[in-house]
Amino acid sequence: MAEKSEMSFLGMLYHNENDSDGIQQVLTALHQYVSYYGDGDDRVYSSQGLVADQLSVERGVNALFELSNGFTPEECLEGLHLEIADWHAGNKFLKVAFHNFYNTKSAGDKCTLYSDRNLINRRNVSSDVDAAVNPCRKFFDLEIKARLIAAALHELGMNNILDSPKGEFSQPNLPEASNVEKKEYVRKIATHIVDGYVIRRENVENIFNSLVAAEAAEEEEVRQQTDNGRYICFFPGCGKSFASRGKRMRDHEATHNQQVPPQDSQGLLFPSDSAPSEKVPEKDDMFNYQCSFLEYGMLILNFFDAIKEGDGKRTFRCWKFQLPYLRNDREVQSMPLKPWG
């Protein structure tokens, strides 16, 4: 049975966290509440998290770094670690989503975020997430769920929610089935949706195959090296070696009037536009837009659900998935990564 929590007022700290002395005094005052055992240099502190916004976390991390050369665990403020407030983190993730998928110039492009915003008359939704956090969150949640429902209807062969499933998912006796059978039925549908619209299995397989080919190319390159790590010219009888397989080696091999060796492992992962390749089918930009939006949007909803469930490990995993997106988004890449450096 849930019980009401008891809260105690510990007082106020009259220090300014904007300067180094102030933030160190704040951390020192909070450090006295960290549990420990032992005395002196043998004292061992338990781990205690301090939750704050990103700017305060950055200041706290810098302050702990400055005190890391103390003589005792107490002077080093051991046991304290900084955590970014989840509410602010969620806002940063939403900013990445809106920066990449919400464009005020796409009003005429149906099924884009801005077009949907105008269609359902969500005037309080703005491209500036910080200015309208709650409306943007509700709108984002609605957009993700709407696309998931549309994907489910397509997989089930239904034209609307009143139709019955057709094809391989048609089970007229489903209402009388057991809970285990119903759970398996839902899991099977969810797997089809995730593989077809969120993760897109064919993309994952292409990436995996490229990685395998790149690893094989690197192993072959190592076998072609000499004992001292140099690369020998491929032309028979030349014998000249180079420190790296770069432009100078390719230019030398070209003087032998022979074909330059294939691209390296990087070329396998990121082929150049001039390289001959198989005919690529015509792209469906709108479908790719929806799939990309679902892929990133499901990460954000998973993060929000982890916060709601109090699942710290899942929250941390979500952060790991988000870091590459934050790193490559120019609008928000500076602040979120500093506490994680």
Side-chain angles (χ1 to χ4, degrees):
M1 182 177 179
E3 297 181 0
K4 185 177 180 180
S5 302
E6 294 184 3
M7 303 180 65
S8 301
F9 180 68
L10 302 178
M12 297 184 63
L13 301 177
Y14 296 95
H15 305 296
N16 183 11
E17 69 171 42
N18 293 323
D19 56 67
S20 58
D21 291 336
I23 188 63
Q24 289 182 10
Q25 290 173 345
V26 170
L27 294 177
T28 302
L30 296 176
H31 189 256
Q32 62 181 321
Y33 299 105
V34 181
S35 58
Y36 64 91
Y37 66 88
D39 295 316
D41 295 341
D42 298 329
R43 178 175 294 182
V44 178
Y45 287 91
S46 63
S47 180
Q48 178 62 52
L50 299 180
V51 179
D53 58 33
Q54 295 183 15
L55 189 57
S56 298
V57 168
E58 181 184 357
R59 293 166 178 161
V61 170
N62 293 333
L64 291 177
F65 181 76
E66 293 176 359
L67 299 174
S68 61
N69 59 348
F71 293 103
T72 64
E74 185 178 6
E75 293 179 355
C76 296
L77 301 184
E78 289 188 0
L80 293 180
H81 66 272
L82 281 297
E83 301 176 3
I84 299 177
D86 295 329
W87 189 84
H88 296 278
N91 291 350
K92 287 297 179 183
F93 301 159
L94 280 179
K95 288 179 67 175
V96 175
F98 272 69
H99 177 246
N100 289 278
F101 297 102
Y102 187 91
N103 192 335
T104 56
K105 298 179 181 179
S106 63
D109 298 329
K110 293 183 178 180
C111 298
T112 59
L113 291 189
Y114 188 70
S115 177
D116 291 346
R117 177 254 193 192
N118 295 339
L119 179 64
I120 61 179
N121 199 23
R122 291 293 182 96
R123 300 183 181 180
N124 52 358
V125 175
S126 171
S127 57
D128 186 2
V129 176
D130 292 332
V133 175
N134 291 330
C136 288
R137 284 201 179 195
K138 293 179 180 179
F139 175 71
F140 184 84
D141 183 76
L142 178 64
E143 288 290 293
I144 293 294
K145 292 179 179 178
R147 283 159 174 78
L148 292 176
I149 293 175
L153 292 177
H154 184 268
E155 289 294 322
L156 296 174
M158 302 167 56
N159 295 323
N160 55 65
I161 58 177
L162 300 178
D163 285 347
S164 298
K166 302 178 181 63
E168 60 175 316
F169 295 107
S170 178
Q171 293 190 10
N173 299 326
L174 184 62
E176 291 78 20
S178 63
N179 291 335
V180 176
E181 294 175 341
K182 292 179 180 178
K183 183 179 180 180
E184 180 63 23
Y185 179 77
V186 173
R187 188 199 64 80
K188 184 178 179 181
I189 298 175
T191 301
H192 275 262
I193 295 174
V194 171
D195 288 344
Y197 303 95
V198 181
I199 297 179
R200 301 186 68 182
R201 181 180 295 273
E202 63 273 11
N203 292 346
V204 177
E205 292 177 351
N206 291 336
I207 294 175
F208 178 77
N209 293 333
S210 298
L211 289 174
V212 171
E215 291 177 356
E218 291 178 357
E219 293 177 358
E220 180 65 23
E221 185 174 298
V222 171
R223 287 195 294 267
Q224 295 173 354
Q225 288 180 293
T226 61
D227 295 337
N228 57 357
R230 296 181 66 84
Y231 297 90
I232 301 178
C233 175
F234 283 110
F235 190 76
C238 179
K240 189 171 183 179
S241 63
F242 298 84
S244 62
R245 189 185 298 280
K247 184 176 183 300
R248 188 175 180 183
M249 181 176 178
R250 293 194 298 270
D251 292 343
H252 171 76
E253 291 174 339
T255 60
H256 295 300
N257 296 324
Q258 70 171 15
Q259 184 179 0
V260 179
Q263 294 179 339
D264 55 5
S265 58
Q266 294 296 325
L268 294 173
L269 286 175
F270 309 103
S272 61
D273 296 336
S274 59
S277 59
E278 298 181 359
K279 184 177 181 181
V280 180
E282 185 178 355
K283 295 182 180 180
D284 188 343
D285 293 335
M286 181 54 67
F287 179 76
N288 292 336
Y289 171 89
Q290 306 300 337
C291 292
S292 299
F293 179 63
L294 277 177
E295 179 183 355
Y296 186 66
M298 291 297 289
L299 285 177
I300 297 179
L301 293 189
N302 188 24
F303 178 76
F304 290 155
D305 184 69
I307 297 172
K308 185 186 301 182
E309 298 294 333
D311 192 342
K313 291 184 178 179
R314 182 150 62 106
T315 303
F316 193 73
R317 286 198 303 270
C318 292
W319 258 110
K320 288 185 176 180
F321 279 108
Q322 292 286 350
L323 287 179
Y325 294 97
L326 297 173
R327 176 63 181 83
N328 289 281
D329 192 271
R330 296 181 180 179
E331 296 294 326
V332 296
Q333 68 174 345
S334 57
M335 292 192 62
L337 297 180
K338 290 181 180 179
W340 295 78

